[in-house]
Amino acid sequence: MSFIRGCMLASAVLVFVVFSVVFRSHNTFVVAGLLLSCVFIFKSKLDITSPDLWFVVAINIYHLSIFALDIIGFRVIENKYELTVINFFSLLGYFTASSLFVGRRVGGSFFRGDISISHRVVKFFLILLFVLTVLISVSFLLSGAVNKAEFDNQFGSVFSVFNMVFILYLLRIKKNKYMFGVIIGIGGYLLTSSLLLGERNIFLSFMLLIIFFSFRCLRVGRVKLFLMCGVLVALIPILGQFKKVFTRGGGESVGRTPIIISVLNGEFRSAGYNINHILSEDVPLKYGASLVNDFLRVIVPRFVYPVENSVSWYNATYHPDIVAQGRGYGFSLAAEGFINFGLAGVYAWFFLAGVLISWLYNKSYKSSFYFVIYLIMIPVFIYAVRGDFSTIFSPLLKQVLFPYLLMYISYRFFRRVGTNL
């Protein structure tokens, strides 16, 4: 945006903020946040793969869903003003990073053919991972578990790696008459697995990847993709209601709750709920210790030394009864920043996340390798809004970089020994 428009926007936001602080008006902070959001969504030029669009929407919906539920009388929260301030500082942190680093680009075709792994190796790993995902589902059925809390699943991340290799496969075959049939077939299989295991994320993450891939590589129109996003959001509570349909527990009753209430009160309620809970507690500031623990949690094996990340700390401290049932409430990236440095921590945490997102987004236009990484990380960044920094570090290392490195080493090995793979 131009310097003059930027100054006008900054002045308007400053007026909103001063008014909100003086009169402790949560509604004004909501308006200020939404004003900034609209500006950056406009800046994205509705490029559906731009973080100025998808990450901004994710921040608002995860933080303000419980606020909306309070307004309509469905739930009650005690810290409305503080919650809206935290949402504003989250947006402000990301906006700073985006303004500094996000380039202005428009989606288009993307078949550069610069992936340094042969199609046969990609296909081999895709088949291998498909078999492993089938074995996970079979082991769930044989375990007799009714829900995921009763199933000791240590290999759920295989589905994420499968998604990454599938995107590599699509890039290698480019666009042909079989591509859409393959996508539909794999989508149906992952939907079945998602319902069987009670893990909505399996199917939802896959569909997000396909939507973003279709915009950048298949030139599918924005209107169709936005409609698909709307359908995907509406499916969240529906998938939750039918997640036991293949077990002896059967499907859950659909009930008569309006779909918009079900969406706000389901997946998107958690981050706001956890922030509200933290605001009601007297938590000593950690001054960056949790960020160190998040990183150590990723690189130090649990059998060597069990490191507690922020999600584990929050649930063990405030919801031990839920942990005892094998479940958890997640946490919040904003809440993690808040328990470290207060509002400055909220700003810093989203600035750091924004820098990483912006860097990957810019690099995604320069090589297929970074495009695949960026694509796979989009659902991760969205989910991290209700998690912590370890929910970003861990998938990036274990589900993206390490599997890709393994495939590359395998390709180089078979190429050296002369195997036609």
Side-chain angles (χ1 to χ4, degrees):
M1 68 184 72
S2 69
F3 177 76
I4 296 178
R5 284 185 292 175
C7 291
M8 292 175 62
L9 173 63
S11 301
V13 171
L14 181 62
V15 170
F16 272 116
V17 172
V18 171
F19 180 86
S20 302
V21 171
V22 173
F23 296 99
R24 290 185 63 82
S25 171
H26 53 264
N27 290 328
T28 311
F29 262 112
V30 172
V31 172
L34 293 179
L35 175 63
L36 279 174
S37 300
C38 290
V39 169
F40 272 75
I41 290 173
F42 177 77
K43 173 177 171 281
S44 74
K45 298 182 180 179
L46 296 185
D47 173 359
I48 200 170
T49 67
S50 170
D52 286 343
L53 181 57
W54 59 263
F55 195 56
V56 166
V57 171
I59 292 173
N60 281 296
I61 195 170
Y62 268 112
H63 289 167
L64 298 182
S65 286
I66 196 166
F67 178 79
L69 291 170
D70 178 270
I71 290 177
I72 62 180
F74 193 83
R75 283 186 174 273
V76 176
I77 55 175
E78 301 80 20
N79 305 286
K80 290 189 284 290
Y81 173 75
E82 292 81 1
L83 178 62
T84 57
V85 172
I86 285 177
N87 181 66
F88 177 78
F89 272 78
S90 301
L91 292 169
L92 202 60
Y94 167 72
F95 290 156
T96 304
S98 174
S99 299
L100 293 174
F101 299 109
V102 169
R104 296 185 179 183
R105 294 179 172 87
V106 180
S109 60
F110 188 85
F111 292 118
R112 300 184 185 275
D114 58 353
I115 298 175
S116 55
I117 302 174
S118 72
H119 178 61
R120 291 186 179 183
V121 170
V122 171
K123 191 174 181 180
F124 170 79
F125 274 89
L126 184 64
I127 295 172
L128 176 62
L129 289 165
F130 178 82
V131 172
L132 289 176
T133 59
V134 171
L135 291 177
I136 291 173
S137 299
V138 171
S139 63
F140 175 82
L141 290 173
L142 294 178
S143 70
V146 175
N147 55 57
K148 62 181 180 181
E150 299 177 3
F151 180 55
D152 186 20
N153 179 20
Q154 301 295 325
F155 304 100
S157 60
V158 170
F159 284 96
S160 298
V161 181
F162 175 83
N163 286 342
M164 183 194 72
V165 179
F166 184 67
I167 295 298
L168 285 172
Y169 175 78
L170 293 181
L171 286 173
R172 296 296 303 188
I173 64 174
K174 301 186 179 182
K175 187 174 181 180
N176 60 37
K177 60 181 179 181
Y178 302 110
M179 177 178 284
F180 288 102
V182 171
I183 292 174
I184 292 172
I186 294 298
Y189 164 70
L190 293 178
L191 175 60
T192 303
S193 300
S194 183
L195 294 173
L196 173 64
L197 298 172
E199 292 280 2
R200 293 175 297 188
N201 187 52
I202 292 174
F203 178 70
L204 296 175
S205 295
F206 172 80
M207 288 305 302
L208 272 179
L209 297 180
I210 294 303
I211 288 172
F212 292 122
F213 177 85
S214 298
F215 178 76
R216 188 79 76 84
C217 300
L218 305 182
R219 298 186 179 183
V220 178
R222 288 180 175 84
V223 175
K224 293 180 181 178
L225 295 178
F226 281 126
L227 287 175
M228 288 179 64
C229 288
V231 171
L232 207 59
V233 170
L235 278 176
I236 292 176
I238 297 174
L239 290 175
Q241 291 163 347
F242 287 95
K243 63 184 178 182
K244 299 179 182 178
V245 70
F246 293 122
T247 66
R248 64 174 182 267
E252 298 179 4
S253 173
V254 175
R256 297 182 179 179
T257 305
I259 188 68
I260 185 64
I261 300 296
S262 298
V263 169
L264 295 176
N265 195 45
E267 165 70 17
F268 299 119
R269 180 198 66 195
S270 56
Y273 171 85
N274 296 332
I275 293 172
N276 181 66
H277 194 96
I278 286 293
L279 290 169
S280 300
E281 303 289 340
D282 185 18
V283 182
L285 295 181
K286 298 180 180 294
Y287 298 107
S290 72
L291 189 60
V292 175
N293 287 341
D294 289 344
F295 184 72
L296 292 176
R297 176 70 175 262
V298 176
I299 63 175
V300 178
R302 289 188 63 82
F303 67 85
V304 175
Y305 183 77
V307 181
E308 186 179 59
N309 62 0
S310 295
V311 172
S312 300
W313 166 82
Y314 171 73
N315 284 279
T317 303
Y318 299 108
H319 305 290
D321 54 327
I322 300 298
V323 175
Q325 301 173 23
R327 301 186 295 116
Y329 284 142
F331 192 41
S332 160
L333 194 64
E336 183 181 39
F338 186 80
I339 64 174
N340 279 275
F341 299 104
L343 289 176
V346 176
Y347 175 88
W349 256 239
F350 276 85
F351 174 78
L352 292 174
V355 169
L356 179 56
I357 294 171
S358 301
W359 182 78
L360 285 174
Y361 173 69
N362 292 333
K363 297 289 286 186
S364 74
Y365 277 90
K366 297 180 180 179
S367 78
S368 298
F369 171 72
Y370 284 106
F371 173 65
V372 171
I373 293 178
Y374 177 69
L375 213 60
I376 296 300
M377 289 299 295
I378 288 176
V380 172
F381 284 119
I382 292 174
Y383 183 78
V385 178
R386 55 157 291 182
D388 57 24
F389 255 109
S390 70
T391 58
I392 296 174
F393 294 150
S394 183
L396 178 60
L397 180 65
K398 299 176 182 178
Q399 300 173 20
V400 179
L401 297 180
F402 178 75
Y404 191 94
L405 179 62
L406 181 62
M407 292 175 63
Y408 179 75
I409 293 174
S410 300
Y411 165 66
R412 299 294 296 183
F413 172 78
F414 287 119
R415 187 178 181 184
R416 176 170 296 182
V417 299
T419 303
N420 191 23
L421 185 63

